Amino acid sequence: MKKYLFSTVMIAAIATTIISCSDEFVDRPVEYSIDSENYFNSKEDYDNALIAAYDLLQTTYLNSLLGEIASDNTLAGGESQSDTPGFQQIDDMIHTPVNSNLKNLWDWMFAGVQRANYILEFKNKTDFQGKNQIIAETRFLRAYYHFELVKWFGGIPMKGDARFVPGDEKKIPRSSKAEVYASIEADLIFASENLPVTTTQKGRATRGAALALLGKAYLYQNKFAPAATTFDKLITSGAYSLVPNYNSIFENEGENGAESVFEVQYTDVEGAGFGCLQCSEGNVAVGFSGPRSYSGTLFSSGFSFNVPTQKIVNAFEAGDNRKAVAILDIEAWATSTGATFGKGYEHTGFFNRKYIPRKRSTTAQGDLNLTNPNNYRAIRYADVLLMAAEAFNRGGIDDVKARGYLNLVRRRAFGDLNHDIASSGAALTDFILAERRVELVGEGHRFFDLVRTGKAAQEIPGFTANKHELFPIPIEEIQFSNGNWKQNQGY
């Protein structure tokens, strides 16, 4: 069997050893060699492999960024019409299978699956106390990466608890969407039954995170009854709550707080560059979304991508306290603070304030536009409440409960009880979906909410029904498969 080294770091280390050490060291017995097939001999080995599986979560900055750009919430922006063509094409709904950004998304999510499957392939090799939790975290992560892949690309190839090897692309077919979701459900049910309620290490998966993602997977399939049951199990656990101050969620003090069900952890103490964006330990999306050539208080410069439209600004009701937190009106800000800024392509006058570069500490490393420390709030409790409301309402299960969950979110937004919704049925559905838009703007969910509810064609300029619900499989993957994988419809 061909052996695959665990990482490029290991390859570099071995190469350096061979070059710099004596022949006596190089000729030592084979048991000193560590490769992918004789790893997993201790708890530490499993822990290190699990860290590697978590590491790919940081590349999901691209998923959240493009989830907004593809929707009607934002425009691509940037420096010019030719700045990052893949973003511009997705914004205009003219993307094709030749798109380097979609290729990155595919590659990085599959790398996450591959790292999780590496652990699962050897899950029975070595026993130790606490291994069941490591397997549960691994299955949560695989489900997370699979969920991202299926919502972007539809059915994907799967190989069970084993790594892909060269040649599989010509033999293993694309699974159906239903098969992918069945795998996601199985992984998350196992994770929800074996993960702890709380964890001492920030960023690790918990029972609540598994339940939330499981409910979301059900909701995306219109399985409203199991979605409602799953969300209610999480809500009634009492493990999470809405924080009183919406603004605090997106500042440093709000990270991993009472409202955080699952966060992707970022830091600015390890630098990165454009040559390897997937290597960044910082949140790349934040720098991309910042105002160009900014000079002033609180914020710092970025590349002026992902600029909110007037349409989303107008979607906020009068008195909604979330508007000033979600949307930075740069003209008004500059007038009141004396800040200056440059105007980029498709300048609307607005920026995504939730994920915008803040002033940094002197410990920040590398390109500051690529190493922002802002955690991504992947699943918030408010999101869970609104998904639960939708499941109870659209499933015809309990509109009273649906209104209750919806109004919890609205009471925080307006600071009173005067904006409660009293509707039922289809009218209540519209209120719930409208609430999701303003509560979660800038967080990467809008495009997929429109697609799964059948509203994308009427809301997104250039969207073609029966085509743009999915993105194209990268052309390289189609070519590598030698006809084994068919392209998505319309591409």
Side-chain angles (χ1 to χ4, degrees), residues 41 72 109 128 235 439 485:
N41 300 308
D72 56 339
M109 294 304 95
F128 54 87
I235 292 167
E439 172 68 29
W485 301 337

Side-chain angles (χ1 to χ4, degrees), residues 75 178 265:
L75 301 177
Q265 309 294 306

Side-chain angles (χ1 to χ4, degrees), residues 83-134:
D83 192 358
T84 313
F87 288 11
Q88 309 296 340
Q89 293 163 10
I90 290 169
D91 183 23
D92 296 334
M93 288 286 128
I94 58 172
H95 48 275
T96 71
V98 181
N99 186 299
S100 61
N101 302 110
L102 290 174
K103 180 66 164 66
N104 284 340
L105 198 154
W106 171 281
D107 286 347
W108 298 342
M109 294 304 95
F110 262 109
V113 172
Q114 186 81 335
R115 292 186 185 188
N117 279 348
Y118 181 35
I119 299 171
L120 296 173
E121 184 174 333
F122 292 95
K123 62 181 180 293
N124 296 321
K125 184 177 180 184
T126 303
D127 287 326
F128 54 87
Q129 187 174 4
K131 189 172 78 168
N132 204 50
Q133 179 175 334
I134 287 179

